[in-house]
Amino acid sequence: MTATIETAPVQPAGIAELAARLRRAERDGTPVEPIRGLLADGGISAAYDVQRTNEDAWIAEGRRVVGRKIGLTSRAVQAQMGVDQPDFGVLFADMCLAEGEALAAGAVLQPRVEAEVALVLKKDLPEPDTTLTELIAAVDYLLPAIEIVGSRITNWDISILDTIADNASSGQIVTGTRPVTPSSIDLAAAGMVMEVNGTVESVGSGAACLGHPYRAALWLVRRMAELERPLKAGEIVMTGALGPMVAFPPGANAVVNIQGLGQVRIKHEEK
């Protein structure tokens, strides 16, 4: 797990500069070169420092936190990145689209789409040793969801350090409109099919997400509690991809069907 080795802290001035670089990339619509070399000494901890610096900056600008997303839930992708756990990013209210809304042209840099299960919580989860049964009891309802992931890094040339610093490559999300009771569905066995422009481009199931979306969510709950930033009632948890992500150019349409959860769709506006 070489990506987690830390040899020296990255100075606060360096963290602030890298965070500002990513914010400028988003604001200007121009990706930047990979930043992993400048984070290598501090490792994953420094990458999360960059992410948290931007989260604080965006909150200061008036953006509102509404949940968290989980990335790297595929064992194969974890092995490729040299890690043995997922990562997380923050979701803001202005990242959330309703069914029927379109992704605005240029809103997400280098967009790709993933099919996911979204959890909405009805209880706070403040304990670092939260159990699976406590998590299940805290889930209010489930929704089918699409994450439009994006990268502020040129050509998606990312390592674990780049993606964590870049808010886990977050872009925007769209969720379905029919809440589903958690007890009515076996998420691990739920099949997923995603079509882009009428062609099946991604197939998977709940089991592709760390064996079960709740396992991914439990990791996040415990991690955020450890960081004293616990998940709260009403927040959304995007639990991770159920299948491969797919390019999503301007003019494209994506439709996701998840067994037992229903359908969700998104259109990408033309430039």
Side-chain angles (χ1 to χ4, degrees), residues 225-269:
E226 289 171 357
L227 295 171
E228 299 183 345
R229 296 153 62 194
L231 294 174
K232 299 177 182 179
E235 290 192 330
I236 305 164
V237 177
M238 293 286 286
T239 55
L242 305 185
M245 65 179 179
V246 180
F248 195 53
N253 290 275
V255 180
V256 165
N257 284 279
I258 302 176
Q259 186 179 14
L261 286 183
Q263 184 180 98
V264 59
R265 60 179 64 231
I266 185 72
K267 176 179 173 59
H268 191 175
E269 290 182 344

mmCIF file of all heavy atoms in Angstrom, residues 225-269:
data_model
loop_
_atom_site.group_PDB
_atom_site.id
_atom_site.type_symbol
_atom_site.label_atom_id
_atom_site.label_comp_id
_atom_site.label_asym_id
_atom_site.label_seq_id
_atom_site.Cartn_x
_atom_site.Cartn_y
_atom_site.Cartn_z
ATOM 1 N N ALA A 225 -16.907 9.867 11.289
ATOM 2 C CA ALA A 225 -16.998 9.998 12.752
ATOM 3 C C ALA A 225 -15.609 10.145 13.365
ATOM 4 O O ALA A 225 -15.404 10.958 14.280
ATOM 5 C CB ALA A 225 -17.728 8.793 13.342
ATOM 6 N N GLU A 226 -14.648 9.371 12.857
ATOM 7 C CA GLU A 226 -13.271 9.490 13.340
ATOM 8 C C GLU A 226 -12.728 10.901 13.123
ATOM 9 O O GLU A 226 -11.967 11.425 13.944
ATOM 10 C CB GLU A 226 -12.368 8.484 12.625
ATOM 11 C CG GLU A 226 -12.580 7.040 13.018
ATOM 12 C CD GLU A 226 -11.810 6.092 12.112
ATOM 13 O OE1 GLU A 226 -11.162 6.581 11.145
ATOM 14 O OE2 GLU A 226 -11.857 4.870 12.356
ATOM 15 N N LEU A 227 -13.119 11.509 12.031
ATOM 16 C CA LEU A 227 -12.653 12.849 11.694
ATOM 17 C C LEU A 227 -13.475 13.946 12.382
ATOM 18 O O LEU A 227 -13.225 15.131 12.159
ATOM 19 C CB LEU A 227 -12.722 13.054 10.176
ATOM 20 C CG LEU A 227 -11.788 12.175 9.345
ATOM 21 C CD1 LEU A 227 -12.101 12.314 7.859
ATOM 22 C CD2 LEU A 227 -10.323 12.538 9.609
ATOM 23 N N GLU A 228 -14.433 13.530 13.219
ATOM 24 C CA GLU A 228 -15.329 14.455 13.926
ATOM 25 C C GLU A 228 -16.122 15.326 12.953
ATOM 26 O O GLU A 228 -16.397 16.499 13.202
ATOM 27 C CB GLU A 228 -14.542 15.315 14.925
ATOM 28 C CG GLU A 228 -13.848 14.473 15.988
ATOM 29 C CD GLU A 228 -13.114 15.312 17.028
ATOM 30 O OE1 GLU A 228 -12.903 16.517 16.781
ATOM 31 O OE2 GLU A 228 -12.770 14.748 18.077
ATOM 32 N N ARG A 229 -16.505 14.709 11.837
ATOM 33 C CA ARG A 229 -17.367 15.340 10.832
ATOM 34 C C ARG A 229 -18.463 14.344 10.463
ATOM 35 O O ARG A 229 -18.604 13.940 9.319
ATOM 36 C CB ARG A 229 -16.552 15.728 9.598
ATOM 37 C CG ARG A 229 -15.488 16.782 9.883
ATOM 38 C CD ARG A 229 -14.320 16.679 8.929
ATOM 39 N NE ARG A 229 -14.692 16.903 7.553
ATOM 40 C CZ ARG A 229 -13.902 16.606 6.511
ATOM 41 N NH1 ARG A 229 -12.713 16.049 6.723
ATOM 42 N NH2 ARG A 229 -14.287 16.846 5.285
ATOM 43 N N PRO A 230 -19.247 13.898 11.453
ATOM 44 C CA PRO A 230 -20.156 12.768 11.238
ATOM 45 C C PRO A 230 -21.273 13.070 10.248
ATOM 46 O O PRO A 230 -21.691 14.221 10.075
ATOM 47 C CB PRO A 230 -20.723 12.513 12.640
ATOM 48 C CG PRO A 230 -20.627 13.832 13.328
ATOM 49 C CD PRO A 230 -19.342 14.434 12.820
ATOM 50 N N LEU A 231 -21.752 12.003 9.632
ATOM 51 C CA LEU A 231 -22.907 12.113 8.754
ATOM 52 C C LEU A 231 -24.145 12.411 9.592
ATOM 53 O O LEU A 231 -24.292 11.917 10.714
ATOM 54 C CB LEU A 231 -23.097 10.820 7.969
ATOM 55 C CG LEU A 231 -21.981 10.497 6.979
ATOM 56 C CD1 LEU A 231 -22.203 9.122 6.370
ATOM 57 C CD2 LEU A 231 -21.904 11.540 5.887
ATOM 58 N N LYS A 232 -25.061 13.203 9.006
ATOM 59 C CA LYS A 232 -26.221 13.684 9.754
ATOM 60 C C LYS A 232 -27.526 13.321 9.061
ATOM 61 O O LYS A 232 -27.559 13.033 7.857
ATOM 62 C CB LYS A 232 -26.122 15.209 9.901
ATOM 63 C CG LYS A 232 -24.883 15.673 10.654
ATOM 64 C CD LYS A 232 -24.820 17.193 10.704
ATOM 65 C CE LYS A 232 -23.557 17.661 11.426
ATOM 66 N NZ LYS A 232 -23.476 19.150 11.463
ATOM 67 N N ALA A 233 -28.582 13.361 9.849
ATOM 68 C CA ALA A 233 -29.918 13.096 9.322
ATOM 69 C C ALA A 233 -30.213 14.021 8.146
ATOM 70 O O ALA A 233 -29.898 15.207 8.184
ATOM 71 C CB ALA A 233 -30.953 13.297 10.419
ATOM 72 N N GLY A 234 -30.794 13.438 7.097
ATOM 73 C CA GLY A 234 -31.128 14.200 5.906
ATOM 74 C C GLY A 234 -30.050 14.212 4.851
ATOM 75 O O GLY A 234 -30.314 14.617 3.702
ATOM 76 N N GLU A 235 -28.838 13.777 5.201
ATOM 77 C CA GLU A 235 -27.750 13.816 4.222
ATOM 78 C C GLU A 235 -27.836 12.643 3.252
ATOM 79 O O GLU A 235 -28.365 11.584 3.557
ATOM 80 C CB GLU A 235 -26.397 13.841 4.930
ATOM 81 C CG GLU A 235 -26.146 15.158 5.648
ATOM 82 C CD GLU A 235 -24.715 15.323 6.108
ATOM 83 O OE1 GLU A 235 -24.045 14.319 6.411
ATOM 84 O OE2 GLU A 235 -24.263 16.489 6.167
ATOM 85 N N ILE A 236 -27.264 12.877 2.075
ATOM 86 C CA ILE A 236 -27.197 11.887 1.004
ATOM 87 C C ILE A 236 -25.842 11.187 1.061
ATOM 88 O O ILE A 236 -24.808 11.845 1.258
ATOM 89 C CB ILE A 236 -27.330 12.559 -0.372
ATOM 90 C CG1 ILE A 236 -28.605 13.394 -0.458
ATOM 91 C CG2 ILE A 236 -27.286 11.527 -1.494
ATOM 92 C CD1 ILE A 236 -28.593 14.364 -1.634
ATOM 93 N N VAL A 237 -25.846 9.885 0.857
ATOM 94 C CA VAL A 237 -24.604 9.130 0.698
ATOM 95 C C VAL A 237 -24.634 8.458 -0.662
ATOM 96 O O VAL A 237 -25.496 7.611 -0.927
ATOM 97 C CB VAL A 237 -24.428 8.076 1.801
ATOM 98 C CG1 VAL A 237 -23.151 7.265 1.552
ATOM 99 C CG2 VAL A 237 -24.379 8.726 3.179
ATOM 100 N N MET A 238 -23.724 8.855 -1.533
ATOM 101 C CA MET A 238 -23.540 8.163 -2.812
ATOM 102 C C MET A 238 -22.548 7.039 -2.562
ATOM 103 O O MET A 238 -21.372 7.277 -2.251
ATOM 104 C CB MET A 238 -23.017 9.135 -3.858
ATOM 105 C CG MET A 238 -24.011 10.222 -4.241
ATOM 106 S SD MET A 238 -25.368 9.621 -5.274
ATOM 107 C CE MET A 238 -24.521 9.405 -6.851
ATOM 108 N N THR A 239 -23.017 5.788 -2.682
ATOM 109 C CA THR A 239 -22.260 4.664 -2.145
ATOM 110 C C THR A 239 -21.183 4.100 -3.062
ATOM 111 O O THR A 239 -20.388 3.269 -2.624
ATOM 112 C CB THR A 239 -23.226 3.532 -1.751
ATOM 113 O OG1 THR A 239 -24.045 3.176 -2.872
ATOM 114 C CG2 THR A 239 -24.109 3.964 -0.590
ATOM 115 N N GLY A 240 -21.133 4.515 -4.314
ATOM 116 C CA GLY A 240 -20.081 4.029 -5.204
ATOM 117 C C GLY A 240 -20.638 3.307 -6.419
ATOM 118 O O GLY A 240 -21.794 2.850 -6.439
ATOM 119 N N ALA A 241 -19.813 3.188 -7.429
ATOM 120 C CA ALA A 241 -20.249 2.677 -8.733
ATOM 121 C C ALA A 241 -20.629 1.204 -8.679
ATOM 122 O O ALA A 241 -19.967 0.390 -8.035
ATOM 123 C CB ALA A 241 -19.150 2.885 -9.761
ATOM 124 N N LEU A 242 -21.698 0.855 -9.415
ATOM 125 C CA LEU A 242 -22.138 -0.527 -9.560
ATOM 126 C C LEU A 242 -21.579 -1.173 -10.823
ATOM 127 O O LEU A 242 -21.782 -2.370 -11.052
ATOM 128 C CB LEU A 242 -23.668 -0.594 -9.604
ATOM 129 C CG LEU A 242 -24.417 0.045 -8.436
ATOM 130 C CD1 LEU A 242 -25.919 -0.221 -8.574
ATOM 131 C CD2 LEU A 242 -23.907 -0.455 -7.100
ATOM 132 N N GLY A 243 -20.897 -0.380 -11.633
ATOM 133 C CA GLY A 243 -20.315 -0.884 -12.869
ATOM 134 C C GLY A 243 -19.348 0.141 -13.418
ATOM 135 O O GLY A 243 -19.154 1.212 -12.829
ATOM 136 N N PRO A 244 -18.732 -0.136 -14.552
ATOM 137 C CA PRO A 244 -17.737 0.785 -15.117
ATOM 138 C C PRO A 244 -18.327 2.152 -15.438
ATOM 139 O O PRO A 244 -19.489 2.277 -15.827
ATOM 140 C CB PRO A 244 -17.298 0.065 -16.406
ATOM 141 C CG PRO A 244 -17.640 -1.365 -16.183
ATOM 142 C CD PRO A 244 -18.874 -1.375 -15.337
ATOM 143 N N MET A 245 -17.496 3.198 -15.272
ATOM 144 C CA MET A 245 -17.939 4.533 -15.670
ATOM 145 C C MET A 245 -17.753 4.699 -17.171
ATOM 146 O O MET A 245 -16.927 4.032 -17.795
ATOM 147 C CB MET A 245 -17.200 5.620 -14.891
ATOM 148 C CG MET A 245 -15.733 5.738 -15.119
ATOM 149 S SD MET A 245 -15.060 7.099 -14.108
ATOM 150 C CE MET A 245 -13.311 6.980 -14.541
ATOM 151 N N VAL A 246 -18.553 5.623 -17.731
ATOM 152 C CA VAL A 246 -18.639 5.776 -19.182
ATOM 153 C C VAL A 246 -18.528 7.256 -19.528
ATOM 154 O O VAL A 246 -19.078 8.117 -18.828
ATOM 155 C CB VAL A 246 -19.982 5.221 -19.699
ATOM 156 C CG1 VAL A 246 -20.100 5.379 -21.212
ATOM 157 C CG2 VAL A 246 -20.159 3.760 -19.296
ATOM 158 N N ALA A 247 -17.822 7.569 -20.619
ATOM 159 C CA ALA A 247 -17.717 8.955 -21.078
ATOM 160 C C ALA A 247 -19.097 9.525 -21.360
ATOM 161 O O ALA A 247 -19.995 8.824 -21.832
ATOM 162 C CB ALA A 247 -16.843 9.021 -22.327
ATOM 163 N N PHE A 248 -19.251 10.842 -21.108
ATOM 164 C CA PHE A 248 -20.562 11.478 -21.226
ATOM 165 C C PHE A 248 -20.411 12.833 -21.911
ATOM 166 O O PHE A 248 -20.467 13.887 -21.289
ATOM 167 C CB PHE A 248 -21.178 11.629 -19.836
ATOM 168 C CG PHE A 248 -22.653 11.945 -19.830
ATOM 169 C CD1 PHE A 248 -23.553 11.156 -20.524
ATOM 170 C CD2 PHE A 248 -23.129 13.021 -19.108
ATOM 171 C CE1 PHE A 248 -24.919 11.436 -20.505
ATOM 172 C CE2 PHE A 248 -24.488 13.317 -19.078
ATOM 173 C CZ PHE A 248 -25.384 12.516 -19.778
ATOM 174 N N PRO A 249 -20.238 12.828 -23.234
ATOM 175 C CA PRO A 249 -19.983 14.073 -23.965
ATOM 176 C C PRO A 249 -21.239 14.916 -24.117
ATOM 177 O O PRO A 249 -22.361 14.439 -23.897
ATOM 178 C CB PRO A 249 -19.496 13.568 -25.323
ATOM 179 C CG PRO A 249 -20.173 12.242 -25.484
ATOM 180 C CD PRO A 249 -20.216 11.636 -24.114
ATOM 181 N N PRO A 250 -21.102 16.185 -24.502
ATOM 182 C CA PRO A 250 -22.262 17.029 -24.753
ATOM 183 C C PRO A 250 -23.214 16.373 -25.757
ATOM 184 O O PRO A 250 -22.775 15.775 -26.746
ATOM 185 C CB PRO A 250 -21.654 18.305 -25.320
ATOM 186 C CG PRO A 250 -20.282 18.357 -24.731
ATOM 187 C CD PRO A 250 -19.824 16.929 -24.672
ATOM 188 N N GLY A 251 -24.512 16.478 -25.469
ATOM 189 C CA GLY A 251 -25.520 15.886 -26.331
ATOM 190 C C GLY A 251 -25.911 14.475 -25.962
ATOM 191 O O GLY A 251 -26.892 13.944 -26.493
ATOM 192 N N ALA A 252 -25.164 13.857 -25.060
ATOM 193 C CA ALA A 252 -25.434 12.470 -24.691
ATOM 194 C C ALA A 252 -26.603 12.372 -23.703
ATOM 195 O O ALA A 252 -26.904 13.313 -22.965
ATOM 196 C CB ALA A 252 -24.193 11.823 -24.094
ATOM 197 N N ASN A 253 -27.238 11.206 -23.722
ATOM 198 C CA ASN A 253 -28.278 10.854 -22.752
ATOM 199 C C ASN A 253 -27.866 9.578 -22.036
ATOM 200 O O ASN A 253 -27.376 8.639 -22.673
ATOM 201 C CB ASN A 253 -29.617 10.592 -23.454
ATOM 202 C CG ASN A 253 -30.240 11.842 -24.031
ATOM 203 O OD1 ASN A 253 -30.926 12.569 -23.334
ATOM 204 N ND2 ASN A 253 -29.995 12.085 -25.316
ATOM 205 N N ALA A 254 -28.073 9.535 -20.732
ATOM 206 C CA ALA A 254 -27.793 8.323 -19.964
ATOM 207 C C ALA A 254 -29.050 7.909 -19.207
ATOM 208 O O ALA A 254 -29.750 8.752 -18.633
ATOM 209 C CB ALA A 254 -26.654 8.552 -18.980
ATOM 210 N N VAL A 255 -29.334 6.604 -19.234
ATOM 211 C CA VAL A 255 -30.470 6.035 -18.512
ATOM 212 C C VAL A 255 -29.959 4.850 -17.705
ATOM 213 O O VAL A 255 -29.295 3.960 -18.247
ATOM 214 C CB VAL A 255 -31.580 5.566 -19.470
ATOM 215 C CG1 VAL A 255 -32.747 4.981 -18.678
ATOM 216 C CG2 VAL A 255 -32.049 6.699 -20.362
ATOM 217 N N VAL A 256 -30.271 4.852 -16.402
ATOM 218 C CA VAL A 256 -29.855 3.773 -15.510
ATOM 219 C C VAL A 256 -31.090 3.081 -14.952
ATOM 220 O O VAL A 256 -32.032 3.735 -14.500
ATOM 221 C CB VAL A 256 -28.991 4.315 -14.351
ATOM 222 C CG1 VAL A 256 -28.849 3.284 -13.231
ATOM 223 C CG2 VAL A 256 -27.626 4.723 -14.862
ATOM 224 N N ASN A 257 -31.082 1.762 -15.004
ATOM 225 C CA ASN A 257 -32.106 0.943 -14.354
ATOM 226 C C ASN A 257 -31.422 0.052 -13.326
ATOM 227 O O ASN A 257 -30.471 -0.676 -13.652
ATOM 228 C CB ASN A 257 -32.845 0.078 -15.379
ATOM 229 C CG ASN A 257 -33.840 0.866 -16.202
ATOM 230 O OD1 ASN A 257 -34.952 1.133 -15.751
ATOM 231 N ND2 ASN A 257 -33.435 1.255 -17.413
ATOM 232 N N ILE A 258 -31.894 0.129 -12.075
ATOM 233 C CA ILE A 258 -31.388 -0.715 -10.997
ATOM 234 C C ILE A 258 -32.543 -1.546 -10.473
ATOM 235 O O ILE A 258 -33.581 -1.003 -10.080
ATOM 236 C CB ILE A 258 -30.769 0.116 -9.866
ATOM 237 C CG1 ILE A 258 -29.635 0.989 -10.404
ATOM 238 C CG2 ILE A 258 -30.239 -0.808 -8.761
ATOM 239 C CD1 ILE A 258 -29.017 1.931 -9.366
ATOM 240 N N GLN A 259 -32.362 -2.849 -10.479
ATOM 241 C CA GLN A 259 -33.418 -3.768 -10.083
ATOM 242 C C GLN A 259 -33.921 -3.437 -8.677
ATOM 243 O O GLN A 259 -33.140 -3.349 -7.728
ATOM 244 C CB GLN A 259 -32.895 -5.205 -10.130
ATOM 245 C CG GLN A 259 -33.921 -6.272 -9.870
ATOM 246 C CD GLN A 259 -33.309 -7.659 -9.968
ATOM 247 O OE1 GLN A 259 -32.098 -7.830 -9.970
ATOM 248 N NE2 GLN A 259 -34.171 -8.664 -10.060
ATOM 249 N N GLY A 260 -35.230 -3.227 -8.559
ATOM 250 C CA GLY A 260 -35.832 -2.925 -7.272
ATOM 251 C C GLY A 260 -35.824 -1.457 -6.900
ATOM 252 O O GLY A 260 -36.562 -1.041 -6.001
ATOM 253 N N LEU A 261 -34.993 -0.658 -7.579
ATOM 254 C CA LEU A 261 -34.928 0.775 -7.290
ATOM 255 C C LEU A 261 -35.542 1.627 -8.380
ATOM 256 O O LEU A 261 -35.962 2.754 -8.139
ATOM 257 C CB LEU A 261 -33.474 1.212 -7.085
ATOM 258 C CG LEU A 261 -32.781 0.809 -5.792
ATOM 259 C CD1 LEU A 261 -31.376 1.405 -5.743
ATOM 260 C CD2 LEU A 261 -33.571 1.250 -4.581
ATOM 261 N N GLY A 262 -35.574 1.096 -9.590
ATOM 262 C CA GLY A 262 -36.175 1.845 -10.676
ATOM 263 C C GLY A 262 -35.166 2.539 -11.557
ATOM 264 O O GLY A 262 -33.996 2.153 -11.633
ATOM 265 N N GLN A 263 -35.628 3.605 -12.204
ATOM 266 C CA GLN A 263 -34.865 4.251 -13.271
ATOM 267 C C GLN A 263 -34.521 5.691 -12.915
ATOM 268 O O GLN A 263 -35.255 6.380 -12.218
ATOM 269 C CB GLN A 263 -35.690 4.238 -14.561
ATOM 270 C CG GLN A 263 -34.989 4.792 -15.783
ATOM 271 C CD GLN A 263 -35.884 4.728 -17.012
ATOM 272 O OE1 GLN A 263 -36.513 5.711 -17.378
ATOM 273 N NE2 GLN A 263 -35.943 3.546 -17.628
ATOM 274 N N VAL A 264 -33.384 6.146 -13.434
ATOM 275 C CA VAL A 264 -32.998 7.540 -13.357
ATOM 276 C C VAL A 264 -32.267 7.880 -14.657
ATOM 277 O O VAL A 264 -31.596 7.034 -15.244
ATOM 278 C CB VAL A 264 -32.099 7.819 -12.122
ATOM 279 C CG1 VAL A 264 -30.829 6.988 -12.147
ATOM 280 C CG2 VAL A 264 -31.784 9.296 -11.984
ATOM 281 N N ARG A 265 -32.438 9.131 -15.125
ATOM 282 C CA ARG A 265 -31.846 9.507 -16.403
ATOM 283 C C ARG A 265 -31.282 10.924 -16.327
ATOM 284 O O ARG A 265 -31.671 11.717 -15.486
ATOM 285 C CB ARG A 265 -32.860 9.392 -17.536
ATOM 286 C CG ARG A 265 -34.086 10.273 -17.373
ATOM 287 C CD ARG A 265 -35.042 10.131 -18.555
ATOM 288 N NE ARG A 265 -35.588 8.802 -18.658
ATOM 289 C CZ ARG A 265 -35.574 8.066 -19.773
ATOM 290 N NH1 ARG A 265 -35.029 8.546 -20.876
ATOM 291 N NH2 ARG A 265 -36.105 6.869 -19.805
ATOM 292 N N ILE A 266 -30.375 11.217 -17.254
ATOM 293 C CA ILE A 266 -29.764 12.545 -17.342
ATOM 294 C C ILE A 266 -29.377 12.814 -18.783
ATOM 295 O O ILE A 266 -28.951 11.908 -19.509
ATOM 296 C CB ILE A 266 -28.515 12.659 -16.412
ATOM 297 C CG1 ILE A 266 -27.945 14.061 -16.408
ATOM 298 C CG2 ILE A 266 -27.462 11.650 -16.812
ATOM 299 C CD1 ILE A 266 -28.768 15.076 -15.693
ATOM 300 N N LYS A 267 -29.554 14.072 -19.201
ATOM 301 C CA LYS A 267 -29.110 14.518 -20.521
ATOM 302 C C LYS A 267 -28.020 15.559 -20.341
ATOM 303 O O LYS A 267 -28.077 16.388 -19.436
ATOM 304 C CB LYS A 267 -30.277 15.125 -21.302
ATOM 305 C CG LYS A 267 -29.864 15.711 -22.661
ATOM 306 C CD LYS A 267 -31.047 16.271 -23.409
ATOM 307 C CE LYS A 267 -30.610 16.997 -24.687
ATOM 308 N NZ LYS A 267 -29.870 16.123 -25.612
ATOM 309 N N HIS A 268 -27.017 15.519 -21.203
ATOM 310 C CA HIS A 268 -25.949 16.500 -21.200
ATOM 311 C C HIS A 268 -26.232 17.511 -22.296
ATOM 312 O O HIS A 268 -26.304 17.160 -23.480
ATOM 313 C CB HIS A 268 -24.597 15.818 -21.441
ATOM 314 C CG HIS A 268 -23.423 16.706 -21.197
ATOM 315 N ND1 HIS A 268 -22.116 16.238 -21.269
ATOM 316 C CD2 HIS A 268 -23.314 18.009 -20.864
ATOM 317 C CE1 HIS A 268 -21.277 17.220 -21.013
ATOM 318 N NE2 HIS A 268 -21.996 18.314 -20.767
ATOM 319 N N GLU A 269 -26.423 18.780 -21.915
ATOM 320 C CA GLU A 269 -26.741 19.797 -22.897
ATOM 321 C C GLU A 269 -25.608 19.974 -23.909
ATOM 322 O O GLU A 269 -24.440 19.796 -23.579
ATOM 323 C CB GLU A 269 -26.993 21.142 -22.199
ATOM 324 C CG GLU A 269 -28.278 21.175 -21.393
ATOM 325 C CD GLU A 269 -28.502 22.532 -20.758
ATOM 326 O OE1 GLU A 269 -27.546 23.328 -20.689
ATOM 327 O OE2 GLU A 269 -29.644 22.800 -20.333
#
